Amino acid sequence: QVQLVESGGGLVQAGDSLRLSCAASGRRFSSYAMGWFRQAPGKEREFVAAISRGGGSTYYADSVKGRFTISRDNSKNTVYLQMNSLKPEDTAVYSCAATYSVNYEVPAFYNYWGQGTQVTVSS
């Protein structure tokens, strides 16, 4: 069992930056690949980024590529999402998730989810 708790969300202006954190408790954090997803009101959950178990491989949605960076610190059981050049369309609830799978972009393959943190970007 893994418990995930996100933090770092907030209200920012377009062009600003935020760093989200996701702290994991439980066993064997390094056994899981980690992903970030977001869901805006009235829309389906959307893949944002993922990172492999050791951190050597990262994956991004086209909409955030070049602006967002995912990283992890297995010694701290934490995964991060650095978000730069934020846009109003990035407004959503951001959730981290853990998976044993390599289907990083598919929410159904994730085993554990955090409760989410709100990110609001004003224009």
Side-chain angles (χ1 to χ4, degrees):
Q1 188 78 5
V2 174
Q3 293 80 42
L4 303 172
V5 179
E6 302 94 337
S7 61
L11 171 62
V12 297
Q13 294 187 331
D16 286 350
S17 298
L18 275 177
R19 188 176 82 154
L20 305 183
S21 299
C22 172
S25 61
R27 303 193 313 174
R28 302 176 63 188
F29 175 71
S30 60
S31 298
Y32 297 91
M34 298 297 296
W36 284 97
F37 291 80
R38 67 187 182 186
Q39 188 166 21
K43 295 189 177 181
E44 292 189 356
R45 181 174 283 168
E46 174 188 24
F47 169 76
V48 175
I51 188 166
S52 59
R53 292 177 295 176
S57 298
T58 56
Y59 309 86
Y60 297 95
D62 288 343
S63 59
V64 306
K65 204 171 292 184
R67 299 188 299 122
F68 291 12
T69 302
I70 189 171
S71 62
R72 68 189 295 164
D73 186 340
N74 285 346
S75 69
K76 296 182 179 179
N77 283 11
T78 302
V79 62
Y80 305 97
L81 186 68
Q82 177 67 43
M83 306 186 294
N84 298 330
S85 302
L86 282 161
K87 305 175 181 180
E89 51 264 44
D90 294 319
T91 295
V93 174
Y94 285 71
S95 300
C96 66
T99 181
Y100 284 122
S101 171
V102 294
N103 292 287
Y104 300 128
E105 297 187 23
V106 182
F109 285 98
Y110 282 77
N111 305 90
Y112 304 102
W113 290 84
Q115 83 289 348
T117 185
Q118 177 71 47
V119 172
T120 303
V121 184
S122 64
S123 57

